[in-house]
Amino acid sequence: MKARRRGTMPLSEKALFDANNLAEYLDLGVQAARRIGKEADAEIRFGKTTRYKKEKIDLYLSYL
């Protein structure tokens, strides 16, 4: 079985971010990134997992 390669895709090409990727994309801390994700209404929940839509984050930041 092959091991999954992590972190191979650049952040600019991803459609969904986890909290750590979002913090790296925004160059902020994780808590601030989560707050922005929630304010931008970009949260998607998969059970206990939360992802953030890059498209909505970019749209939200363009209006700031």
Side-chain angles (χ1 to χ4, degrees):
M1 179 183 250
K2 290 185 177 182
R4 185 184 286 190
R5 293 184 353 194
R6 298 188 63 100
T8 58
M9 184 182 291
L11 289 177
S12 61
E13 295 182 13
K14 290 187 175 187
L16 296 174
F17 295 132
D18 63 2
N20 292 326
N21 286 342
L22 181 61
E24 185 179 341
Y25 180 69
L26 296 175
D27 198 25
L28 295 171
V30 175
Q31 293 297 330
R34 284 182 181 154
R35 188 179 71 241
I36 288 175
K38 186 170 270 199
E39 288 175 3
D41 194 31
E43 283 187 332
I44 300 175
R45 312 267 279 130
F46 301 105
K48 293 182 179 180
T49 305
T50 303
R51 297 286 187 249
Y52 302 92
K53 289 185 181 180
K54 179 182 181 276
E55 180 181 311
K56 285 193 173 186
I57 297 293
D58 289 338
L59 184 65
Y60 176 78
L61 294 176
S62 69
Y63 287 111
L64 287 181

